[in-house]
Amino acid sequence: MIDTAAVTNTRNATPTSRGSVEGTQTPYVYWTTYQDGDWTLNIAATEQGLCRIRFPNEKPGALAAWASIHWPGAALVESAEALRPYREPLAAYFRGDCTPFDMPLDVRGTPFQLEVWEALRLIPYGSTWTYAELAEVLGRPLAARPVGAAVGANPLPIVLPCHRVIGKDGSLTGYLGGLEAKTRLLRLEGFPLREERGLRQN
């Protein structure tokens, strides 16, 4: 089961259902735009850890709307300095570093969503699982569709690698950042896509 205690250090970080604004007088969700080559992401964090990665194709205002749901009353503050600890791990990933992300996370979701999101961290770099395989790992072999819905609601794509979940026929299926982004992430990790595997077999 997922650890629901607030994460406050960079070792053995796991998603948490507790927010950084609880019990504080000044709730903030910090955000900045992260640029790496032709990758552009909005990243956000509370004082407890990284809480959101947003792709450019999401609707304007999506970050503010999401923050208002999960951290009611929190101020959304642009701060590159507050997000500085999370930039280098992302930069290392985009350079091709296969080391698992080791950073504090502050993730909000239902108990079932948190369970699914934690299981995403088990998928090895450069590998993929199907939704059915993910459901099996969770001990819910008949719950592939609910598992898929939880995967689609993942607030931390890349860090919680939902791009590594594909259809049982090898198709990429949906992705919050768009199928082009999912394709690029899998290629970055060296995973041969279905059409590329076919070419290699011929």
Side-chain angles (χ1 to χ4, degrees):
M1 294 295 293
I2 198 166
D3 179 8
T4 57
V7 177
T8 57
N9 60 71
T10 60
R11 301 301 303 174
N12 303 316
T14 57
T16 171
S17 61
R18 297 181 185 174
S20 62
V21 301
E22 295 178 3
T24 66
Q25 295 180 343
T26 309
Y28 295 110
V29 175
Y30 303 99
W31 73 277
T32 193
T33 299
Y34 173 79
Q35 185 80 40
D36 193 307
D38 56 356
W39 287 97
T40 301
L41 304 168
N42 285 333
I43 57 176
T46 66
E47 293 182 6
Q48 297 284 25
L50 191 70
C51 63
R52 186 76 161 87
I53 293 178
R54 178 179 173 271
F55 287 96
N57 65 324
E58 294 184 53
K59 294 179 181 179
L63 180 60
W66 178 85
S68 69
I69 292 171
H70 296 284
W71 284 271
L76 196 61
V77 178
E78 184 172 5
S79 173
E81 178 60 25
L83 275 298
R84 184 176 55 82
Y86 309 102
R87 298 173 66 91
E88 177 52 33
L90 285 169
Y93 174 81
F94 286 120
R95 290 195 301 266
D97 188 342
C98 63
T99 304
F101 285 103
D102 183 16
M103 62 177 72
L105 305 180
D106 190 358
V107 184
R108 297 286 181 99
T110 67
F112 178 71
Q113 286 175 327
L114 292 171
E115 184 181 2
V116 172
W117 298 340
E118 176 67 4
L120 293 173
R121 295 156 65 98
L122 301 176
I123 308 175
Y125 182 97
S127 302
T128 60
W129 290 359
T130 66
Y131 293 96
E133 288 171 332
L134 183 57
E136 287 276 358
V137 166
L138 290 165
R140 303 171 183 265
L142 302 180
R145 287 192 176 185
V147 165
V151 169
N154 173 24
L156 284 175
I158 301 177
V159 172
L160 302 179
C162 54
H163 61 279
R164 297 175 190 163
V165 184
I166 62 175
K168 65 180 180 180
D169 63 351
S171 60
L172 295 190
T173 68
Y175 187 60
L176 182 64
L179 292 184
E180 180 182 354
K182 186 169 186 172
T183 298
R184 292 176 61 199
L185 290 170
L186 289 173
R187 284 178 173 157
L188 173 68
E189 296 183 9
F191 181 79
L193 303 180
R194 182 173 57 175
E195 63 274 17
E196 294 169 341
R197 292 198 299 272
L199 288 173
R200 293 183 185 187
Q201 291 171 356
N202 292 336

